[in-house]
Amino acid sequence: GLRRGLYYRDDDYRFSYLAGDPANEAFLRGLASLLDSELLPQARGSHDPSVALYPDSPDWIDALEGRLSAYHPLRLFRSLHRFDRQVFEKHACFLEPLPPEYTLLPIDAGLCERFSDLAFAYQLLWGGTQSFLAHGFGYCVLADAELASACDTAFCAAGWAEMGVETREPYRRQGLARQVATAFILESLRRDLEPAWECWWENAPSQKLAERLGFHWLEDYPVLLIDLAG
């Protein structure tokens, strides 16, 4: 049950979520065995040979670090930000005109077909583009018909829409990430969803962009990352 220990993973084994009682010795032994015998070996042969354990309490990290020491796990931190609609509406809720070679578009089936990067990401996060288009949404900027920047839903449930933003290197530092993120937030509000923002704690550009969009830092929480690439 939930109070004794709960384990959930996505189908690609890369993100695992832990909740319940981290002092449950039998559950910890079983989880460590599952990771060691099944999940980590499968992740080793995947496109991204890593597993991230997201706990509901730092005590999970303390309990698992030693048991997984052979894999040299890294204790990293995620920065969680909370959206302030008043700040967004006062300072950031507008879309600036783009140069003529740039086009801001909602992500649809045609764009997913056209750009394999989008289809690949939605296969990992949503199980396919059809599921993404049915339950999620996003915006992108095209630069002379090339995908330059995108902001879309990493997940969308229970009144929340977690946003992921990515801009390709040649198009960075041109304000495109702010454009697609602003469009995403406006669409979230239209759907009565609260946008959510997370990033790794050392990602200063992401934190700065979050602040410009009306988010404020809430907390840093630990994540245990096992990188099997070495």
Side-chain angles (χ1 to χ4, degrees):
L2 181 61
R3 293 186 179 275
R4 300 299 293 161
L6 175 68
Y7 165 76
Y8 169 78
R9 64 165 177 79
D10 70 335
D11 288 338
D12 197 47
Y13 300 97
R14 294 180 56 227
F15 306 103
S16 300
Y17 305 89
L18 302 171
D21 180 9
N24 182 350
E25 185 62 29
F27 181 81
L28 286 170
R29 285 198 303 269
L31 176 59
S33 176
L34 178 66
L35 286 163
D36 189 56
S37 65
E38 182 179 341
L39 303 186
L40 293 176
Q42 291 189 49
R44 193 185 299 276
S46 71
H47 73 285
D48 183 355
S50 65
V51 170
L53 303 177
Y54 288 73
D56 74 338
S57 162
D59 294 339
W60 282 106
I61 305 293
D62 297 332
L64 285 171
E65 267 184 324
R67 297 169 191 270
L68 301 172
S69 59
Y71 296 97
H72 307 291
L74 299 173
R75 185 186 293 230
L76 306 176
F77 288 86
R78 296 283 290 173
S79 288
L80 178 62
H81 296 75
R82 190 67 183 267
F83 182 66
D84 188 324
R85 183 166 182 166
Q86 290 185 335
V87 174
F88 173 74
E89 291 179 344
K90 184 176 181 180
H91 298 293
C93 67
F94 59 91
L95 293 170
E96 299 173 353
L98 288 169
E101 66 271 21
Y102 292 142
T103 307
L104 176 68
L105 295 169
I107 296 173
D108 59 15
L111 287 171
C112 292
E113 259 185 61
R114 184 175 168 187
F115 297 109
S116 59
D117 288 357
L118 294 178
F120 183 66
Y122 302 147
Q123 181 63 43
L124 294 180
L125 292 171
W126 291 87
T129 57
Q130 287 187 344
S131 179
F132 166 75
L133 294 171
H135 305 290
F137 58 93
Y139 286 83
C140 68
V141 169
L142 302 187
D144 291 327
E146 294 293 326
L147 184 63
S149 184
C151 180
D152 47 27
T153 42
F155 81 83
C156 189
W160 295 83
E162 181 172 348
M163 51 199 298
V165 185
E166 181 68 28
T167 302
R168 290 181 170 173
E169 179 59 42
Y171 304 105
R172 293 176 184 172
R173 294 170 290 278
Q174 299 181 42
L176 301 184
R178 182 179 178 182
Q179 287 284 88
V180 291
T182 298
F184 179 97
I185 292 171
L186 290 171
E187 179 63 17
S188 298
L189 299 179
R190 190 188 70 80
R191 297 179 182 222
D192 293 324
L193 297 170
E194 180 168 343
W197 189 289
E198 282 195 22
C199 61
W200 295 110
W201 68 328
E202 78 277 13
N203 191 341
S206 181
Q207 296 191 41
K208 183 177 179 180
L209 177 60
E211 184 178 356
R212 292 184 67 190
L213 291 166
F215 291 87
H216 63 86
W217 175 84
L218 193 62
E219 64 173 335
D220 290 337
Y221 67 89
V223 174
L224 200 62
L225 180 69
I226 301 173
D227 186 354
L228 302 167

